[in-house]
Amino acid sequence: MTFNPPKSVPSVSVSYSSNGSSTKANEFGMRPMQERAFEKRGEQYLLIKSPPASGKSRALMFIALDKLTNQGVKQAIIVVPERSIGSSFHDEPLSKHGFWADWHVEAKWNLCDAPGNDNGGKVNALGAFLESDDKVLVCTHATFRLAVDKFGVEAFDDRLIAVDEFHHVSANPDNKLGIHLGEFITRDRVHIVAMTGSYFRGDAEAVLAPQDEGKFESVTYTYYEQLNGYQYLKQLDIGYFFYSDSYADDILKVLNPGEKTIIHIPNVNSRESTKDKIKEVEHILEELGAWQGTDPATGFQLIKTPEEQTLRIADLVDDDPAKRDRVSAALKDPAQKNNRDHVDIIIALGMAKEGFDWIWCEHALTVGYRSSLTEIVQIIGRATRDAPGKTRARFSNLIAEPAAADDIVTEAVNDTLKAIAASLLMEQVLAPRFEFKPKNPQNEPTPGFDYGEGGYDPNKCNVGFNEESGKFQIEIKGLATPKSEEATRICQEDLNEVIAAFVQDKTTIERGLFDEELVPEELTQVRMGKIIKDKFPHLDAEDQEAVRQHAVAALNLTQKAKEVAAGSSLGEESANTAFVDGVRKFAMDVRELDIDLIDRVNPFGEAYAILAKTMSEDSLKQVAAAIAAKRTSLTPEEAKVIAKRAVEFKRERGRLPSISSADAWEKHLAEGAAAFVRFKDEGRYE
């Protein structure tokens, strides 16, 4: 069986220098992320944002031990979303690597290992722990929620609450864990360490209320730092691919049997599902080769390929508890952790996402769109572990193509748009961090930053890059600076949250991809402005505008860098600098890097170019027609925003925007201002 890769290009391809730094430990046995988190160990409220496999569990052990020994904290309660993740907090001989204490949890207090469900007995056990002299307990989110309901928040005074996979929490009134955390913060008698690999939620809900979030000190360790500092993994590809008919028939166009792969088959309620998950697994096995039976020791399916290779396949879809538990136990066998040949392919449905550790995984293949961006980040995280001989990893999203004959293509179109949104967001997550500065004559170079050939030039907008921290420093003319602490924090820490809301906004992405008459500022100024106003209503207008400019700059510079990198033929040596070179080249190619110029870039232009290569021409036309059919004219709210921009235009240029201008945005401002006056005369504003 020869693997023929699909003709389409990956939508994201990032290369790294593999300098080994993120896996090197200091004299206490701490890797760089853990060291960075430990430096903030004195904070009462700490939020650790760091990719899967970067060592968050161990970072927490170091911090918890210090709080228990040196900060007057009585006990530490570790809260995880599901029982399987509890194993991450088993005993660890930290002193063997230089730390001053070992991590120990009494067997009876790791409630994730105890039989039974997460209520009743386990809630009472947590109550008994609070009365005991023991120091550490591990339980699930569910057990903890019920225990807080039963014992009250005051029962946890002077203790550390550590919440793993924090993105499961939200400020929504229906989310009990979110409510409890709000109560703990109001009472202000506990320490909280929150950890997550992806702080944005797929449903774009806030994790905490803004006033609570502001109390947390953040430790951010980026994907770029993590992957750049690996020893082996040099490249990560992310792509969405379309199929027609049944996905199982087309799966070998994307699945390479020679790669260690996790296949996530579609949810039974999704459009891609055949509604018979067992048959789907059988079909995938048949496509791969001839069934040779089941391995008696592990329960793995044995498949012989046409090339006489025997594949060992773990089926986690089968509902038979005896079969599934045996396969699951075989996958977790610590004796096989470093054995690359133990298993070749894992097929899962709703399992093997967060907290699932298989370092050899080279390909995470997901069929059907996942509604949560967080879930996608977690799935990608399965493939981004570093392992000997593993130089490349990829994530593929296989999506049903909207058939040209379909009368109803709405759902298919929505799935396509969501996949593109996820891809755009992953680009931001994987890219180096941006630090934007307004250009002014007093600016000076920052030590540690490389400003390219010729060094820092006080007469132009400079682009500096610090490889070690994975951070860009970019000067932009006319950039607004945030005034408040909250706006500064958003610009430094949370631009990805803003971009997540923007790329998931249906109107925004539809128009960005398929409206041929689009004036980009309608998206970058009007739509982004509205999203920021809705997301941060407590910020004043100046700070909202500063956040808007920073978010648009981060998104559009990433897109421009990708466009430049895709158009250049780079050798292996310079592949890992392609992104940096792309940002530099874009900055050099324009007369001046100013915010107006950045606002004039359509953030979805490059995504459309990729979509045109991946989807058949008929389907692409079908999607464009479906979106064009529901295009609406300007709303009163949009007209009001545009009218405000028209007032700014007049203040800057001393004249009103002209309806007959050759500049598309100026003309649009004039039309928007006229529409505003019309709506006002009609009494459409209160």
Side-chain angles (χ1 to χ4, degrees):
M1 179 194 323
T2 309
F3 172 62
N4 295 311
K7 65 178 190 315
S8 50
V9 292
S11 54
V12 185
S13 183
V14 197
S15 299
Y16 300 93
S17 64
S18 306
N19 60 32
S21 62
S22 64
T23 52
K24 285 195 178 81
N26 68 5
E27 70 273 26
F28 299 114
M30 296 177 194
R31 283 158 41 193
M33 185 283 282
Q34 294 157 350
E35 189 175 5
R36 190 177 299 175
F38 192 68
E39 282 169 7
K40 301 273 181 80
R41 63 191 177 278
E43 298 290 338
Q44 184 181 354
Y45 301 122
L46 189 59
L47 172 61
I48 301 172
K49 292 194 261 188
S50 179
S54 58
K56 289 189 288 290
S57 308
R58 192 166 290 198
L60 176 63
M61 294 175 189
F62 292 125
I63 291 166
L65 285 166
D66 190 86
K67 285 188 179 291
L68 290 166
T69 310
N70 301 321
Q71 297 181 42
V73 171
K74 289 180 187 171
Q75 294 176 311
I77 298 166
I78 320 291
V79 188
V80 299
E82 54 188 62
R83 287 167 60 184
S84 62
I85 298 175
S87 60
S88 303
F89 297 97
H90 284 161
D91 288 5
E92 203 60 65
L94 301 175
S95 60
K96 201 168 89 179
H97 307 289
F99 196 60
W100 43 262
D102 288 328
W103 176 255
H104 175 62
V105 185
E106 291 289 336
K108 66 178 176 178
W109 298 133
N110 194 329
L111 304 185
C112 293
D113 293 343
N117 59 22
D118 288 317
N119 55 28
K122 292 191 180 182
V123 172
N124 292 333
L126 201 156
F129 170 77
L130 294 172
E131 299 294 322
S132 77
D133 293 328
D134 287 322
K135 293 297 181 191
V136 186
L137 175 136
V138 182
C139 69
T140 62
H141 287 190
T143 298
F144 182 72
R145 285 196 307 267
L146 293 164
V148 178
D149 282 340
K150 183 167 184 175
F151 305 119
V153 290
E154 57 281 353
F156 295 83
D157 283 358
D158 306 317
R159 289 168 173 84
L160 166 64
I161 314 291
V163 185
D164 196 16
E165 308 294 2
F166 189 58
H167 49 268
H168 285 260
V169 179
S170 102
N172 187 311
D174 297 333
N175 188 302
K176 288 295 288 284
L177 190 50
I179 292 168
H180 290 330
L181 281 172
E183 290 168 348
F184 280 123
I185 293 167
T186 301
R187 185 169 169 79
D188 206 27
R189 290 287 303 273
V190 296
H191 289 230
I192 299 174
V193 175
M195 302 182 293
T196 178
S198 54
Y199 192 47
F200 46 79
R201 295 170 55 82
D203 49 21
E205 278 193 71
V207 174
L208 288 173
Q211 65 273 21
D212 290 340
E213 195 174 315
K215 293 177 181 170
F216 278 78
E217 179 69 27
S218 282
V219 173
T220 302
Y221 191 70
T222 64
Y223 253 101
Y224 186 90
E225 290 175 283
Q226 163 87 344
L227 292 161
N228 209 45
Y230 272 170
Q231 209 173 334
Y232 308 103
L233 188 62
K234 290 184 187 314
Q235 186 177 338
L236 177 62
D237 295 340
I238 295 172
Y240 40 86
F241 306 97
F242 296 94
Y243 68 89
S244 46
D245 303 324
S246 160
Y247 78 83
D249 294 334
D250 275 356
I251 200 160
L252 287 187
K253 289 180 183 168
V254 182
L255 169 63
N256 178 355
E259 286 178 331
K260 302 291 182 184
T261 304
I262 298 179
I263 303 170
H264 291 280
I265 70 167
N267 181 296
V268 288
N269 298 318
S270 73
R271 192 169 53 93
E272 287 84 358
S273 174
T274 63
K275 314 303 175 204
D276 188 336
K277 59 186 184 179
I278 304 301
K279 275 220 169 71
E280 287 178 32
V281 173
E282 285 171 1
H283 197 148
I284 292 168
L285 297 180
E286 283 166 14
E287 288 291 308
L288 287 165
W291 188 65
Q292 304 292 298
T294 305
D295 183 301
T298 60
F300 296 163
Q301 306 291 327
L302 303 175
I303 300 287
K304 185 168 274 189
T305 69
E307 287 80 27
E308 300 294 308
Q309 177 195 1
T310 299
L311 297 173
R312 299 169 59 80
I313 299 175
D315 174 8
L316 290 173
V317 178
D318 196 317
D319 284 328
D320 182 334
K323 285 185 188 171
R324 194 158 76 178
D325 288 352
R326 183 159 56 128
V327 170
S328 195
L331 288 173
K332 289 176 188 164
D333 181 355
Q336 302 295 340
K337 188 175 180 180
N338 295 319
N339 177 8
R340 190 181 187 278
D341 300 324
H342 182 52
V343 66
D344 298 297
I345 294 172
I346 297 171
I347 306 177
L349 173 61
M351 295 177 75
K353 293 175 192 168
E354 59 197 18
F356 179 84
D357 195 4
W358 180 34
I359 63 169
W360 305 106
C361 176
E362 296 164 288
H363 188 191
L365 170 55
T366 299
V367 183
Y369 180 70
R370 296 309 194 252
S371 60
S372 161
L373 290 166
T374 295
E375 189 177 344
I376 290 170
V377 174
Q378 290 293 342
I379 289 171
I380 291 170
R382 300 318 100 205
T384 56
R385 307 303 211 247
D386 203 29
K390 174 176 153 184
T391 57
R392 178 174 171 254
R394 61 191 182 116
F395 165 74
S396 302
N397 196 181
L398 204 52
I399 304 161
E401 189 166 90
D406 282 357
D407 293 330
I408 303 163
V409 294
T410 312
E411 198 181 341
V413 170
N414 286 345
D415 284 356
T416 302
L417 296 178
K418 287 173 185 170
I420 294 167
S423 171
L424 288 166
L425 189 59
M426 281 311 300
E427 273 160 16
Q428 293 303 135
V429 170
L430 294 167
R433 288 178 79 179
F434 291 107
E435 179 188 296
F436 299 114
K437 292 172 72 170
K439 176 65 187 166
N440 68 56
Q442 289 77 44
N443 285 3
E444 291 181 342
T446 305
F449 281 82
D450 170 16
Y451 293 94
E453 268 184 67
Y456 187 88
D457 182 347
N459 298 313
K460 66 172 193 179
C461 290
N462 292 275
V463 175
F465 184 63
N466 182 316
E467 166 132 7
E468 200 177 327
S469 65
K471 190 186 272 188
F472 273 110
Q473 188 193 81
I474 298 172
E475 295 177 333
I476 299 173
K477 194 177 175 205
L479 181 77
T481 47
K483 302 284 185 289
S484 68
E485 267 185 42
E486 164 81 350
T488 303
R489 183 187 64 76
I490 293 163
C491 290
Q492 287 173 353
E493 297 285 341
D494 283 345
L495 289 182
N496 284 351
E497 323 308 317
V498 178
I499 291 167
F502 179 74
V503 298
Q504 288 180 100
D505 181 69
K506 219 154 151 244
T507 307
T508 298
I509 193 167
E510 285 177 352
R511 296 205 56 203
L513 286 167
F514 295 106
D515 184 350
E516 290 175 7
E517 293 169 14
L518 174 81
V519 181
E521 288 96 331
E522 285 183 59
L523 300 185
T524 57
Q525 292 192 9
V526 180
R527 294 300 301 180
M528 182 70 94
K530 182 184 183 305
I531 282 163
I532 284 159
K533 201 173 174 184
D534 292 347
K535 201 170 171 63
F536 307 110
H538 52 287
L539 293 182
D540 68 22
E542 273 186 76
D543 273 343
Q544 286 176 349
E545 175 61 8
V547 171
R548 184 199 72 75
Q549 290 184 12
H550 280 69
V552 168
L555 177 58
N556 274 345
L557 282 170
T558 298
Q559 291 306 302
K560 281 292 168 190
K562 181 175 76 165
E563 191 184 324
V564 172
S568 60
S569 49
L570 292 160
E572 179 76 25
E573 273 67 57
S574 58
N576 66 300
T577 66
F579 190 90
V580 182
D581 295 343
V583 173
R584 278 222 174 94
K585 188 168 186 326
F586 174 64
M588 276 166 48
D589 285 354
V590 297
R591 191 172 56 81
E592 210 159 32
L593 197 58
D594 66 39
I595 194 63
D596 291 344
L597 173 112
I598 290 167
D599 274 341
R600 281 198 289 273
V601 174
N602 176 358
F604 301 96
E606 191 59 14
Y608 180 80
I610 288 160
L611 189 63
K613 290 175 189 167
T614 30
M615 195 184 269
S616 73
E617 199 177 338
D618 282 352
S619 292
L620 197 60
K621 281 179 184 163
Q622 172 101 340
V623 173
I627 288 168
K630 57 179 190 170
R631 191 165 300 150
T632 55
S633 53
L634 217 56
T635 65
E637 191 183 359
E638 286 168 341
K640 194 174 184 179
V641 174
I642 293 168
K644 282 183 182 170
R645 295 272 173 196
V647 171
E648 282 173 31
F649 180 96
K650 186 187 177 190
R651 194 177 64 240
E652 286 169 9
R653 309 201 190 182
R655 63 176 177 84
L656 285 167
S658 165
I659 200 100
S660 57
S661 172
D663 179 79
W665 178 234
E666 182 180 343
K667 186 180 175 187
H668 191 68
L669 287 177
E671 289 167 349
F676 171 72
V677 172
R678 193 170 64 249
F679 288 138
K680 202 173 175 189
D681 291 345
E682 291 168 4
R684 303 282 286 275
Y685 300 108
E686 289 178 7

